[in-house]
Amino acid sequence: MKFTKDHEWVSLDGDIATVGISKHAAEALGDVVFVEVPEVGKTVSKGDSFAVVESVKAASDVYAPVSGEVVEANDALGTAPETVNADPVGEGWFARIKVSDASALDALMDQAAYDEYLTTL
């Protein structure tokens, strides 16, 4: 699993990347009340806003950590947005993206580096 400085996580299985927000982000947001996931078939570029998460505190964009095509969206979050709080790095995933360049993940942080990054915030 890799992480961005914007607190997204990405897990790669073959050429399919599963993407969500980190536990830190889910806790910082507070109770999530709405999630907008991307449409299947949408092409995203690394750094693009591709989803929205709203909590009782704020609404935030979720940025694509990799470029590619959305091949699956977690539509279950539409009726159960609280899943993002309950299991942010599991069932609370946002989308699966067929990555166009898996080497982009090399620039992301591993768990240890992300944990270190969090200490600087």
Side-chain angles (χ1 to χ4, degrees):
M1 185 172 288
K2 299 281 191 155
F3 297 88
T4 71
K5 288 186 175 182
D6 292 319
H7 308 290
E8 289 90 14
W9 61 265
V10 56
S11 177
L12 190 65
D13 183 12
D15 62 352
I16 303 297
T18 303
V19 178
I21 63 170
S22 70
K23 182 178 178 182
H24 170 82
E27 289 175 355
L29 282 167
D31 293 337
V32 174
V33 296
F34 176 78
V35 176
E36 179 182 309
V37 295
E39 291 183 26
V40 172
K42 179 178 183 177
T43 300
V44 296
S45 296
K46 181 179 178 180
D48 284 354
S49 171
F50 81 115
V52 175
V53 59
E54 292 182 21
S55 71
V56 293
K57 293 182 180 176
S60 299
D61 289 327
V62 179
Y63 301 99
V66 293
S67 298
E69 179 183 348
V70 176
V71 294
E72 187 176 355
N74 190 354
D75 294 326
L77 296 179
T79 56
E82 66 277 7
T83 305
V84 174
N85 294 113
D87 193 11
V89 294
E91 293 301 313
W93 60 276
F94 282 51
R96 293 195 165 109
I97 300 171
K98 183 175 182 179
V99 296
S100 57
D101 180 9
S103 69
L105 275 75
D106 295 342
L108 303 179
M109 295 177 280
D110 62 16
Q111 183 72 59
Y114 182 67
D115 290 345
E116 178 67 26
Y117 172 68
L118 292 177
T119 67
T120 67
L121 301 178

Short mmCIF file of all heavy atoms in Angstrom, two decimals, residues 21-45:
data_model
loop_
_atom_site.label_atom_id
_atom_site.label_comp_id
_atom_site.label_asym_id
_atom_site.label_seq_id
_atom_site.Cartn_x
_atom_site.Cartn_y
_atom_site.Cartn_z
N ILE A 21 -9.18 6.91 0.95
CA ILE A 21 -8.51 7.90 1.78
C ILE A 21 -7.97 7.20 3.02
O ILE A 21 -8.51 6.18 3.47
CB ILE A 21 -9.42 9.08 2.16
CG1 ILE A 21 -10.61 8.65 3.02
CG2 ILE A 21 -9.87 9.83 0.92
CD1 ILE A 21 -11.40 9.81 3.63
N SER A 22 -6.92 7.77 3.58
CA SER A 22 -6.24 7.13 4.71
C SER A 22 -7.08 7.22 5.98
O SER A 22 -8.01 8.03 6.09
CB SER A 22 -4.88 7.80 4.94
OG SER A 22 -5.08 9.11 5.45
N LYS A 23 -6.70 6.41 6.94
CA LYS A 23 -7.35 6.44 8.25
C LYS A 23 -7.20 7.82 8.87
O LYS A 23 -8.14 8.34 9.47
CB LYS A 23 -6.74 5.36 9.15
CG LYS A 23 -7.36 5.28 10.52
CD LYS A 23 -6.74 4.16 11.34
CE LYS A 23 -7.36 4.14 12.74
NZ LYS A 23 -6.74 3.12 13.58
N HIS A 24 -6.02 8.41 8.70
CA HIS A 24 -5.78 9.76 9.23
C HIS A 24 -6.79 10.74 8.65
O HIS A 24 -7.38 11.54 9.37
CB HIS A 24 -4.36 10.21 8.90
CG HIS A 24 -4.09 11.65 9.20
ND1 HIS A 24 -3.78 12.08 10.47
CD2 HIS A 24 -4.13 12.74 8.40
CE1 HIS A 24 -3.65 13.41 10.43
NE2 HIS A 24 -3.84 13.83 9.20
N ALA A 25 -6.99 10.68 7.33
CA ALA A 25 -7.93 11.60 6.67
C ALA A 25 -9.35 11.34 7.15
O ALA A 25 -10.10 12.30 7.41
CB ALA A 25 -7.84 11.44 5.16
N ALA A 26 -9.73 10.08 7.26
CA ALA A 26 -11.09 9.75 7.70
C ALA A 26 -11.34 10.27 9.12
O ALA A 26 -12.41 10.81 9.41
CB ALA A 26 -11.32 8.25 7.63
N GLU A 27 -10.33 10.14 9.98
CA GLU A 27 -10.47 10.64 11.35
C GLU A 27 -10.51 12.16 11.39
O GLU A 27 -11.27 12.75 12.16
CB GLU A 27 -9.33 10.10 12.22
CG GLU A 27 -9.45 8.61 12.49
CD GLU A 27 -8.27 8.03 13.23
OE1 GLU A 27 -7.27 8.75 13.49
OE2 GLU A 27 -8.34 6.83 13.56
N ALA A 28 -9.71 12.79 10.55
CA ALA A 28 -9.67 14.26 10.52
C ALA A 28 -10.99 14.83 10.00
O ALA A 28 -11.43 15.90 10.45
CB ALA A 28 -8.51 14.74 9.65
N LEU A 29 -11.61 14.14 9.06
CA LEU A 29 -12.88 14.61 8.51
C LEU A 29 -14.02 14.52 9.52
O LEU A 29 -14.94 15.31 9.50
CB LEU A 29 -13.26 13.80 7.26
CG LEU A 29 -12.53 14.16 5.98
CD1 LEU A 29 -12.76 13.09 4.93
CD2 LEU A 29 -13.00 15.51 5.47
N GLY A 30 -13.96 13.54 10.37
CA GLY A 30 -15.10 13.30 11.26
C GLY A 30 -16.11 12.42 10.54
O GLY A 30 -15.78 11.72 9.58
N ASP A 31 -17.35 12.48 11.00
CA ASP A 31 -18.38 11.60 10.44
C ASP A 31 -18.66 11.92 8.97
O ASP A 31 -19.14 13.02 8.66
CB ASP A 31 -19.67 11.71 11.24
CG ASP A 31 -19.53 11.17 12.65
OD1 ASP A 31 -18.61 10.33 12.87
OD2 ASP A 31 -20.30 11.57 13.53
N VAL A 32 -18.37 10.97 8.10
CA VAL A 32 -18.62 11.13 6.67
C VAL A 32 -20.10 10.95 6.41
O VAL A 32 -20.71 9.96 6.85
CB VAL A 32 -17.77 10.14 5.85
CG1 VAL A 32 -18.14 10.20 4.37
CG2 VAL A 32 -16.29 10.43 6.03
N VAL A 33 -20.70 11.92 5.70
CA VAL A 33 -22.14 11.89 5.45
C VAL A 33 -22.48 11.74 3.97
O VAL A 33 -23.64 11.47 3.62
CB VAL A 33 -22.83 13.15 6.02
CG1 VAL A 33 -22.70 13.19 7.53
CG2 VAL A 33 -22.27 14.42 5.40
N PHE A 34 -21.49 11.90 3.09
CA PHE A 34 -21.75 11.79 1.65
C PHE A 34 -20.44 11.50 0.93
O PHE A 34 -19.40 12.06 1.28
CB PHE A 34 -22.34 13.10 1.11
CG PHE A 34 -22.54 13.11 -0.38
CD1 PHE A 34 -23.62 12.48 -0.95
CD2 PHE A 34 -21.64 13.77 -1.21
CE1 PHE A 34 -23.81 12.47 -2.32
CE2 PHE A 34 -21.82 13.78 -2.58
CZ PHE A 34 -22.91 13.13 -3.14
N VAL A 35 -20.53 10.62 -0.05
CA VAL A 35 -19.37 10.32 -0.89
C VAL A 35 -19.84 10.29 -2.34
O VAL A 35 -20.85 9.67 -2.66
CB VAL A 35 -18.74 8.96 -0.54
CG1 VAL A 35 -17.59 8.64 -1.49
CG2 VAL A 35 -18.25 8.95 0.91
N GLU A 36 -19.11 11.00 -3.19
CA GLU A 36 -19.36 10.95 -4.63
C GLU A 36 -18.18 10.24 -5.27
O GLU A 36 -17.05 10.73 -5.19
CB GLU A 36 -19.49 12.36 -5.20
CG GLU A 36 -19.74 12.37 -6.71
CD GLU A 36 -19.81 13.79 -7.25
OE1 GLU A 36 -20.57 14.60 -6.68
OE2 GLU A 36 -19.09 14.08 -8.21
N VAL A 37 -18.43 9.07 -5.83
CA VAL A 37 -17.36 8.31 -6.46
C VAL A 37 -17.39 8.57 -7.96
O VAL A 37 -18.41 8.99 -8.51
CB VAL A 37 -17.51 6.80 -6.15
CG1 VAL A 37 -17.32 6.54 -4.66
CG2 VAL A 37 -18.84 6.25 -6.64
N PRO A 38 -16.28 8.33 -8.65
CA PRO A 38 -16.24 8.60 -10.09
C PRO A 38 -17.04 7.57 -10.88
O PRO A 38 -17.30 6.47 -10.41
CB PRO A 38 -14.75 8.49 -10.42
CG PRO A 38 -14.22 7.55 -9.39
CD PRO A 38 -15.01 7.84 -8.14
N GLU A 39 -17.42 7.96 -12.09
CA GLU A 39 -18.14 7.04 -12.97
C GLU A 39 -17.16 6.05 -13.59
O GLU A 39 -16.02 6.40 -13.92
CB GLU A 39 -18.83 7.83 -14.09
CG GLU A 39 -19.97 8.67 -13.60
CD GLU A 39 -20.68 9.38 -14.76
OE1 GLU A 39 -20.63 8.87 -15.90
OE2 GLU A 39 -21.28 10.43 -14.50
N VAL A 40 -17.64 4.82 -13.75
CA VAL A 40 -16.84 3.81 -14.44
C VAL A 40 -16.63 4.27 -15.88
O VAL A 40 -17.57 4.77 -16.53
CB VAL A 40 -17.56 2.44 -14.38
CG1 VAL A 40 -16.84 1.42 -15.27
CG2 VAL A 40 -17.63 1.94 -12.94
N GLY A 41 -15.42 4.12 -16.35
CA GLY A 41 -15.08 4.53 -17.70
C GLY A 41 -14.41 5.89 -17.77
O GLY A 41 -13.83 6.25 -18.79
N LYS A 42 -14.47 6.64 -16.66
CA LYS A 42 -13.85 7.96 -16.62
C LYS A 42 -12.33 7.81 -16.64
O LYS A 42 -11.78 6.95 -15.95
CB LYS A 42 -14.28 8.70 -15.36
CG LYS A 42 -13.67 10.07 -15.21
CD LYS A 42 -14.16 10.79 -13.97
CE LYS A 42 -13.57 12.18 -13.89
NZ LYS A 42 -14.09 12.93 -12.75
N THR A 43 -11.68 8.61 -17.43
CA THR A 43 -10.22 8.63 -17.46
C THR A 43 -9.73 9.72 -16.52
O THR A 43 -10.24 10.86 -16.57
CB THR A 43 -9.71 8.90 -18.89
OG1 THR A 43 -10.19 7.86 -19.75
CG2 THR A 43 -8.20 8.93 -18.93
N VAL A 44 -8.81 9.36 -15.65
CA VAL A 44 -8.28 10.33 -14.69
C VAL A 44 -6.77 10.44 -14.87
O VAL A 44 -6.11 9.50 -15.27
CB VAL A 44 -8.61 9.93 -13.23
CG1 VAL A 44 -10.10 9.94 -13.00
CG2 VAL A 44 -8.02 8.59 -12.86
N SER A 45 -6.27 11.62 -14.56
CA SER A 45 -4.83 11.85 -14.55
C SER A 45 -4.38 12.03 -13.11
O SER A 45 -5.13 12.56 -12.27
CB SER A 45 -4.48 13.11 -15.34
OG SER A 45 -4.81 12.93 -16.70
#
